[in-house]
Amino acid sequence: MTRMTRAAFNVGAALLGLLVAALIAAAILLARGSNPIFALSQMVDYGSQRPSIVAIINSATTYYLAAIAVAIGFRMNLFNIGVDGQYRLAAMLAAAFGGSVALPNGVRQIATVAVAMLVGALWAGVAAVLKAARGVSEVISTIMLNFVATGIVAYLLTANRLGYQAPGSNNIGTKPIPPSGQIVGLDLIPGAGRRVYGLIVLAVLVGLAYQLVISRTRFGFNLRATGRSETAAAASGVNVKRMIIITMLISGAIAGLVGMPNLLGESHQYSLNFPSGLGFTGIAIALLGRNHPVGIAFGALLWAFLDQSALILDIYSIPKEIVQILQAAVVLSVVVTYELVRRFALMRQQQRVGRQLSGAPDGPSSPQEVPA
Amino acid sequence: MTMGLPANPLGRSVDPSLRRPTRVRLTRSRLLLGLLGGLVVLAVVRVITGAQDLTSAGTLGATVNLALPIALAGLGGLWSERSGVVNIGLEGMMILGTWFGAQFAFISGSPWMGIVGGLVGGLIGGVVHAIATIVFGVDQIVSGVAINILGLGVGRYLSGVFFTGQAGGGPTQSPQVPTFHSLKLPGADSLFGGVEARHWLVVSDVAGLARAVLTSLNVFTILAIALVPVTWFVLWRTAFGLRLRACGENPTAAESLGVNVYRMRWIAALISGMFAGLAGAFLVNFTGIYREGQTGGRGYIGLAAMIFGNWRPGGLFAGATLFGYTDALQLRQGSTSVHALLLVLVVALAFAAVMAIRRRRPAAIVVPAGLAVLVAVLYATTSTLPSELVTYTPQIITLLVLALASQRLRMPAADGLPWRRGQRT
């Protein structure tokens, strides 16, 4: 199968999965007596307004980074479910750093981002060491570390530690980053009244670097080989434990970036308003995008569109949580359709091989079964 | 092996229990001795530190109620993983269990229907997981993650539809629902409470335990506790259980002996969902209300308890009790109680180090001994712990326990691997 047909298959599978999920959501809405066509048209209407578009692009940027952080682990069968904790701890400490350490304009932004990457990597490193040295499943340890991160953030974000309370406000956050440490937004959509995060550029660069490393470097090859078969990789000289630690550190460093576009571009301080649960969003989007940077970009935009356009549903007294069900249904059905397509492709390949082996173009198809 | 490869290239595929035949067997008398020793250590630490909540009836009663949802979720994980299906969706299934448990109990006015509701809710999650992983062969962790998102969304959506407008209900919580009454032995409260209040060494601790057992149980807790031996019996003492476990160890071999692997895994996934749903219903019965975020990661902790328990019901129950106890402790004067717990931790780590010395494993001595010193210093230099961190004591304990215990574990051999009929390996 050529690359083009494979891509076409994947896109088709994604669309089919989307359709199935939409039908499920429509059935749920119908059961309640709401008109799904009306709901969808309102969502599209609202989601295509200028301010909505900016909001969608901005949250898609955040989701994109979270999904790339997850995807790099996925490529070697490593489940970093701790992106959520890594990102919040990193964003908080980086915000405290950016708000309090005076550095020249330009250096300050870079240093803030570097602190975030470092913290994210270190927090992921705990899970990495536990897995490599003690064989603790990273699925469990990263989930537990998410909780612990929540505790540490709450502990540090109090008035006599890193917390800062603006006069007349009861919302506690870190000390605000002054303009010399911020990154201005891009006025991509004129008349929206809101700017696109400047660090969207960083997200694009991360996506490019990810693809380059995965497909064009020795490290990327080792990573994919370990993901396919740990024993085979080890037999060919890959140090699996070292791969686990390095990959986890990279994943954590990217997770550390997740909060940066918002922090440096809009909020300028870390507060408890920063969304939680981004790790699971990242996992879902990485799955939708099949761990491919372009696919992930579409997945992130779709997810952000659903989030944003759902806000209009409350006005028509349709519970906007239907969108969350829709999102979960999308993940499940897309994953299923990907699997079906994979089996179909495998079957076709077997038939072709069978035909070629039997020498006749219309010979009997192969009785040989290739293990799935 | 003609290529001269080392027999063990990963350095970890050899079961440690094979390497060390001298491993201490857990007999009934050793277990009792351990439990008794634990109680004595707690009692001594309580007297030294004055943290009376270490063994108070309040803490121990709360332990029962906090440990059982974890144990039930863990049993759910055990059922499916023993058949070879990893179930990380326990958390989502538990959320479904809380919602349906609350709704059924609220509509019918009977806590028994709450149990039914929990089973139904969990079953829905189990069906989704079974369809995705067994019928379509989707990666099991992926399906589980999706179910967690789904459970959260469904809970929110249904609350918005059904609970909004009810007295005390809203998009994030249900109205008050009927619960089981606790079964109190008359007189136990005053008798043992009196002894407990004297704070005598060991005697008062036993009284606290007795008071907790005799006053804070209800029908649901007894049912939940009973499910631990029931699970053990079904999985390890019946032909059905043997077949189910065979599917988790080597499905191809099981199939060659006439076991219908798909059907076994279906049954296991459905039972797993029902256990998780039951865990959710248990939480609702405990608090008398459905609340968003109520499960608080207990599905995951249940999974950790199962891993800690080496995929066995007894170990799982011990793990759940440990997590439930630390959770109860952080709720009752957490800053003081958990600080006192540090001293217990020092004793436990020192014990681990001593055991390692006895077994002549120098590598295993350094880590627990070093940790023991660290924790002792932490204990000596502080008087209370920050409450923000104390909240997450169960999670930190989970991490510690897994870090110290996990190399002796052996998961079912085919756990997590999608399997299709006719597959050879």
Side-chain angles (χ1 to χ4, degrees), chain A residues 27-28 46 94 101 144 178 183-184 208 218 305 334 337 355 369:
Chain A
I28 294 175
Y46 178 70
V101 180
M144 297 302 141
I183 292 178
V184 286
L208 284 175
R218 185 180 150 174
F305 165 78
V334 166
T337 49
R355 268 200 304 275
E369 267 214 48

Side-chain angles (χ1 to χ4, degrees), chain A residues 82 85-86 89 118-128 142 145-146 148-149 152:
Chain A
Q86 289 146 22
L89 199 61
L118 191 71
V119 173
L122 283 179
W123 198 243
V126 177
T142 50
L145 286 169
N146 281 345
V148 180
I152 294 178

Side-chain angles (χ1 to χ4, degrees), chain B residues 22-270:
Chain B
T22 53
R23 184 180 162 187
V24 183
R25 288 281 307 164
L26 191 65
T27 59
R28 192 166 300 162
S29 55
R30 281 218 179 89
L31 184 70
L32 273 177
L33 205 68
L35 286 177
L36 207 66
L39 189 71
V40 170
V41 168
L42 280 180
V44 172
V45 169
R46 176 181 64 80
V47 170
I48 293 174
T49 60
Q52 305 298 348
D53 266 320
L54 273 184
T55 58
S56 71
T59 307
L60 298 176
T63 299
V64 174
N65 285 310
L66 292 168
L68 284 174
I70 296 171
L72 286 172
L75 285 176
L78 182 75
W79 271 90
S80 78
E81 298 217 355
R82 275 291 170 184
S83 81
V85 180
V86 168
N87 188 359
I88 193 130
L90 287 170
E91 180 79 8
M93 298 179 189
M94 216 169 146
I95 295 174
L96 292 173
T98 53
W99 193 88
F100 281 91
Q103 173 71 354
F104 274 44
F106 177 64
I107 297 277
S108 67
S110 154
W112 288 101
M113 285 309 285
I115 293 186
V116 175
L119 292 173
V120 169
L123 193 64
I124 295 171
V127 168
V128 174
H129 195 51
I131 291 176
T133 60
I134 302 166
V135 176
F136 292 112
V138 165
D139 185 294
Q140 294 165 2
I141 295 188
V142 167
S143 164
V145 167
I147 286 172
N148 288 337
I149 301 175
L150 188 70
L152 203 64
V154 169
R156 280 191 187 155
Y157 175 80
L158 291 177
S159 303
V161 173
F162 287 96
F163 290 153
T164 312
Q166 309 276 11
T172 59
Q173 65 174 43
S174 74
Q176 284 287 329
V177 303
T179 57
F180 289 105
H181 300 292
S182 37
L183 307 166
K184 283 188 201 294
L185 193 75
D189 222 346
S190 54
L191 174 65
F192 290 109
V195 179
E196 201 191 335
R198 300 292 166 86
H199 301 316
W200 288 328
L201 182 68
V202 182
V203 178
S204 293
D205 305 286
V206 173
L209 185 62
R211 191 164 77 119
V213 169
L214 295 176
T215 60
S216 58
L217 296 185
N218 63 43
V219 176
F220 206 159
T221 48
I222 293 169
L223 188 80
I225 293 171
L227 283 174
V228 179
V230 167
T231 295
W232 170 80
F233 182 81
V234 174
L235 285 180
W236 272 271
R237 285 294 179 273
T238 66
F240 166 78
L242 180 64
R243 287 176 196 137
L244 191 143
R245 286 185 294 120
C247 296
E249 299 291 346
N250 191 337
T252 307
E255 193 202 26
S256 74
L257 294 172
V259 176
N260 186 337
V261 177
Y262 288 150
R263 193 170 71 196
M264 279 299 174
R265 288 193 166 179
W266 259 95
I267 294 172
L270 298 188

Side-chain angles (χ1 to χ4, degrees), chain A residues 11-185:
Chain A
V11 171
L15 291 179
L16 183 66
L18 221 64
L19 187 69
V20 172
L23 288 178
I24 293 173
I28 294 175
L29 281 183
L30 275 176
R32 192 181 159 267
S34 316
N35 181 351
I37 306 284
F38 173 76
L40 184 66
S41 69
Q42 289 303 324
M43 281 172 67
V44 172
D45 252 15
Y46 178 70
S48 56
Q49 289 169 13
R50 280 160 192 268
S52 293
I53 292 178
V54 175
I56 290 168
I57 294 177
N58 281 350
S59 38
T61 307
T62 307
Y63 294 164
Y64 185 75
L65 287 167
I68 293 283
V70 172
I72 193 159
F74 272 170
R75 292 306 288 264
M76 67 170 278
N77 265 345
L78 208 57
F79 285 79
N80 180 6
I81 302 191
V83 167
D84 193 44
Q86 289 146 22
Y87 123 78
R88 277 183 292 131
L89 199 61
M92 200 269 289
L93 289 174
F97 176 86
S100 56
V101 180
L103 286 169
N105 196 344
V107 179
R108 190 168 189 162
Q109 286 87 334
I110 294 173
T112 308
V113 171
V115 167
M117 292 179 80
L118 191 71
V119 173
L122 283 179
W123 198 243
V126 177
V129 169
L130 282 178
K131 184 175 173 77
R134 306 289 313 169
V136 178
S137 155
E138 77 282 7
V139 175
I140 302 287
S141 65
T142 50
I143 288 172
M144 297 302 141
L145 286 169
N146 281 345
F147 286 102
V148 180
T150 307
I152 294 178
V153 167
Y155 172 71
L156 291 177
L157 211 58
T158 43
N160 51 354
R161 297 193 184 92
L162 296 178
Y164 170 84
Q165 205 161 359
S169 152
N170 50 14
N171 195 1
I172 195 162
T174 54
K175 213 166 156 203
I177 300 175
S180 68
Q182 302 172 0
I183 292 178
V184 286

Side-chain angles (χ1 to χ4, degrees), chain A residues 32 79 130 133-134 136 139-140 143 147 150-152 155 230 234 280 287 321 324-325 328 332 335-336 339 343, chain B residues 10 12 88 128 136-138 141-142 146 150 156-157 161 300 386 389 392 395 399 402-404 406-407 420:
Chain A
R32 192 181 159 267
F79 285 79
L130 282 178
R134 306 289 313 169
V136 178
V139 175
I140 302 287
I143 288 172
F147 286 102
T150 307
I152 294 178
Y155 172 71
E230 218 170 85
F280 283 102
L287 293 172
E321 286 74 20
Q324 235 178 327
I325 299 180
L332 268 175
V335 168
V336 167
E339 175 68 21
R343 281 189 200 174
Chain B
L10 285 183
R12 66 184 208 192
I88 193 130
V128 174
F136 292 112
V138 165
I141 295 188
V142 167
L150 188 70
R156 280 191 187 155
Y157 175 80
V161 173
Y300 302 118
L389 291 175
Y392 298 102
Q395 283 83 6
L399 277 173
L402 286 179
L404 292 175
S406 97
Q407 281 201 333
R420 292 188 67 198

